[in-house]
Amino acid sequence: MNESISLNETRAPVPWIHTSHGNSTLELSSELPIFVINPWDIMLCISGTIIACENAIVVAIIFYTPNLRTPMFVLIGSLATADLLAGVGLILNFVFHYVIRSETISLVTVGFLVASFTASVSSLLAITVDRYLSLYNALTYYSEKTVLCIHMMLIITWGVSLCLGLLPVLGWNCLEDYSSCSIVKPLTKSNVTLLAASFFFIFILMLHLYIKICKIVCRHAHQIALQQHFLTASHYVATKKGVSTLAIILGTFGASWLPFAIYCVVGDSSYPAVYTYATLLPATYNSMINPIIYAYRNQEIQRSMWVLFCGCFQSKVSFRSRSPSDV
């Protein structure tokens, strides 16, 4: 019995249609239909709504603030846009799941979600690369070469994400061969394996870069302390804070996506759908946490939020400009 999640196939029972015991004919009952909504789908829709609202604010702030045009904010805007689209996709999936049942819409919705979440994860990698470059090449970071590098990363990020999102629509699906379905219908087992492998590659690459960033941060803090001829308590505090921040960033990303990525590889369409829901829901939380980690903690974005919501800048609030190297 296939129990994989279908993103546009209602799993609720149809109590007004009964099969007679004597033969295989269907008999219509006079009972009124009962509309049942899966609570997991409600939680995914709520998650999508929060994600969309959070990231819509970030996108609006970056778009309407002229001084937020540096490479760092362009990448944060890319991440917020991807997460915004992912949130909208979760909402649309819920609507189409219970209102419009169509294989075509199912494929488009799945492709939209795959492209959005892929762009989100890839944007996280691009931000990590940007932070590494800002520390490793601090003297030449604000050059045209860096801007070109950022634009190339954005083109690759969204180009690859779009291609992966189009694969189910262009035919790489299990609608004609249900035996090849994965834990997320209508994606095939080979398709989700490819997506999981891509995630593992990105996660390992981010881990490698953040280890290098951590070493650079510790070395810079140590050099500053030596220039003052002694190691102060502030040196220890600054180093510990930097390492802790990096651990939170990578730990949040891994805790959100690793369970679902692993289950994509080891899971089967015959497994109970609750396992898929239980691993997919935390993965969406990453798009909910991203704006808090990468946007709302930024001093420039906080300043723009004061202007946006308060109508004026309150001089009593202290803001400090942040650079990409701030971890």
Side-chain angles (χ1 to χ4, degrees), residues 225 228 230-237:
Q228 299 175 352
F230 58 90
L231 297 177
T232 63
S234 60
H235 162 259
Y236 173 76
V237 173

PDB file of all heavy atoms in Angstrom, residues 225 228 230-237:
ATOM      1  N   ALA A 225      45.150  40.812  20.212  1.00  0.00           N
ATOM      2  CA  ALA A 225      45.528  40.741  21.626  1.00  0.00           C
ATOM      3  C   ALA A 225      47.043  40.843  21.801  1.00  0.00           C
ATOM      4  O   ALA A 225      47.531  41.485  22.736  1.00  0.00           O
ATOM      5  CB  ALA A 225      45.000  39.441  22.235  1.00  0.00           C
ATOM      6  N   GLN A 228      48.446  44.268  21.691  1.00  0.00           N
ATOM      7  CA  GLN A 228      48.264  44.996  22.945  1.00  0.00           C
ATOM      8  C   GLN A 228      49.144  44.430  24.055  1.00  0.00           C
ATOM      9  O   GLN A 228      49.029  44.836  25.203  1.00  0.00           O
ATOM     10  CB  GLN A 228      46.787  44.939  23.370  1.00  0.00           C
ATOM     11  CG  GLN A 228      45.845  45.585  22.347  1.00  0.00           C
ATOM     12  CD  GLN A 228      44.384  45.413  22.716  1.00  0.00           C
ATOM     13  OE1 GLN A 228      44.060  44.678  23.655  1.00  0.00           O
ATOM     14  NE2 GLN A 228      43.503  46.075  21.991  1.00  0.00           N
ATOM     15  N   PHE A 230      49.170  41.721  25.651  1.00  0.00           N
ATOM     16  CA  PHE A 230      48.628  40.796  26.640  1.00  0.00           C
ATOM     17  C   PHE A 230      47.267  40.302  26.157  1.00  0.00           C
ATOM     18  O   PHE A 230      46.607  40.948  25.351  1.00  0.00           O
ATOM     19  CB  PHE A 230      48.487  41.460  28.017  1.00  0.00           C
ATOM     20  CG  PHE A 230      47.611  42.676  28.017  1.00  0.00           C
ATOM     21  CD1 PHE A 230      46.242  42.582  28.250  1.00  0.00           C
ATOM     22  CD2 PHE A 230      48.167  43.941  27.770  1.00  0.00           C
ATOM     23  CE1 PHE A 230      45.446  43.705  28.251  1.00  0.00           C
ATOM     24  CE2 PHE A 230      47.367  45.068  27.774  1.00  0.00           C
ATOM     25  CZ  PHE A 230      46.001  44.954  28.009  1.00  0.00           C
ATOM     26  N   LEU A 231      46.892  39.131  26.655  1.00  0.00           N
ATOM     27  CA  LEU A 231      45.602  38.537  26.305  1.00  0.00           C
ATOM     28  C   LEU A 231      44.564  38.976  27.338  1.00  0.00           C
ATOM     29  O   LEU A 231      44.670  38.642  28.519  1.00  0.00           O
ATOM     30  CB  LEU A 231      45.703  37.010  26.273  1.00  0.00           C
ATOM     31  CG  LEU A 231      46.645  36.426  25.222  1.00  0.00           C
ATOM     32  CD1 LEU A 231      46.691  34.903  25.351  1.00  0.00           C
ATOM     33  CD2 LEU A 231      46.216  36.814  23.822  1.00  0.00           C
ATOM     34  N   THR A 232      43.608  39.761  26.907  1.00  0.00           N
ATOM     35  CA  THR A 232      42.593  40.273  27.811  1.00  0.00           C
ATOM     36  C   THR A 232      41.396  39.343  27.839  1.00  0.00           C
ATOM     37  O   THR A 232      41.251  38.443  27.006  1.00  0.00           O
ATOM     38  CB  THR A 232      42.139  41.670  27.364  1.00  0.00           C
ATOM     39  OG1 THR A 232      41.538  41.556  26.076  1.00  0.00           O
ATOM     40  CG2 THR A 232      43.325  42.628  27.295  1.00  0.00           C
ATOM     41  N   ALA A 233      40.526  39.603  28.795  1.00  0.00           N
ATOM     42  CA  ALA A 233      39.290  38.827  28.885  1.00  0.00           C
ATOM     43  C   ALA A 233      38.408  39.069  27.673  1.00  0.00           C
ATOM     44  O   ALA A 233      37.669  38.196  27.237  1.00  0.00           O
ATOM     45  CB  ALA A 233      38.543  39.202  30.166  1.00  0.00           C
ATOM     46  N   SER A 234      38.491  40.289  27.099  1.00  0.00           N
ATOM     47  CA  SER A 234      37.675  40.597  25.922  1.00  0.00           C
ATOM     48  C   SER A 234      38.072  39.735  24.730  1.00  0.00           C
ATOM     49  O   SER A 234      37.256  39.421  23.867  1.00  0.00           O
ATOM     50  CB  SER A 234      37.811  42.073  25.563  1.00  0.00           C
ATOM     51  OG  SER A 234      39.162  42.388  25.273  1.00  0.00           O
ATOM     52  N   HIS A 235      39.376  39.355  24.660  1.00  0.00           N
ATOM     53  CA  HIS A 235      39.841  38.466  23.594  1.00  0.00           C
ATOM     54  C   HIS A 235      39.137  37.122  23.691  1.00  0.00           C
ATOM     55  O   HIS A 235      38.654  36.572  22.699  1.00  0.00           O
ATOM     56  CB  HIS A 235      41.356  38.298  23.697  1.00  0.00           C
ATOM     57  CG  HIS A 235      41.866  37.101  22.944  1.00  0.00           C
ATOM     58  ND1 HIS A 235      42.187  35.920  23.576  1.00  0.00           N
ATOM     59  CD2 HIS A 235      42.088  36.901  21.625  1.00  0.00           C
ATOM     60  CE1 HIS A 235      42.603  35.042  22.673  1.00  0.00           C
ATOM     61  NE2 HIS A 235      42.547  35.613  21.486  1.00  0.00           N
ATOM     62  N   TYR A 236      39.064  36.583  24.880  1.00  0.00           N
ATOM     63  CA  TYR A 236      38.398  35.295  25.089  1.00  0.00           C
ATOM     64  C   TYR A 236      36.906  35.393  24.783  1.00  0.00           C
ATOM     65  O   TYR A 236      36.330  34.530  24.130  1.00  0.00           O
ATOM     66  CB  TYR A 236      38.613  34.830  26.524  1.00  0.00           C
ATOM     67  CG  TYR A 236      37.817  33.599  26.890  1.00  0.00           C
ATOM     68  CD1 TYR A 236      38.209  32.330  26.455  1.00  0.00           C
ATOM     69  CD2 TYR A 236      36.661  33.716  27.665  1.00  0.00           C
ATOM     70  CE1 TYR A 236      37.464  31.213  26.789  1.00  0.00           C
ATOM     71  CE2 TYR A 236      35.927  32.606  28.006  1.00  0.00           C
ATOM     72  CZ  TYR A 236      36.328  31.352  27.561  1.00  0.00           C
ATOM     73  OH  TYR A 236      35.587  30.245  27.887  1.00  0.00           O
ATOM     74  N   VAL A 237      36.296  36.497  25.248  1.00  0.00           N
ATOM     75  CA  VAL A 237      34.859  36.675  25.036  1.00  0.00           C
ATOM     76  C   VAL A 237      34.538  36.825  23.555  1.00  0.00           C
ATOM     77  O   VAL A 237      33.583  36.224  23.047  1.00  0.00           O
ATOM     78  CB  VAL A 237      34.347  37.909  25.822  1.00  0.00           C
ATOM     79  CG1 VAL A 237      32.890  38.203  25.457  1.00  0.00           C
ATOM     80  CG2 VAL A 237      34.493  37.678  27.312  1.00  0.00           C
TER      81      VAL A 237
END
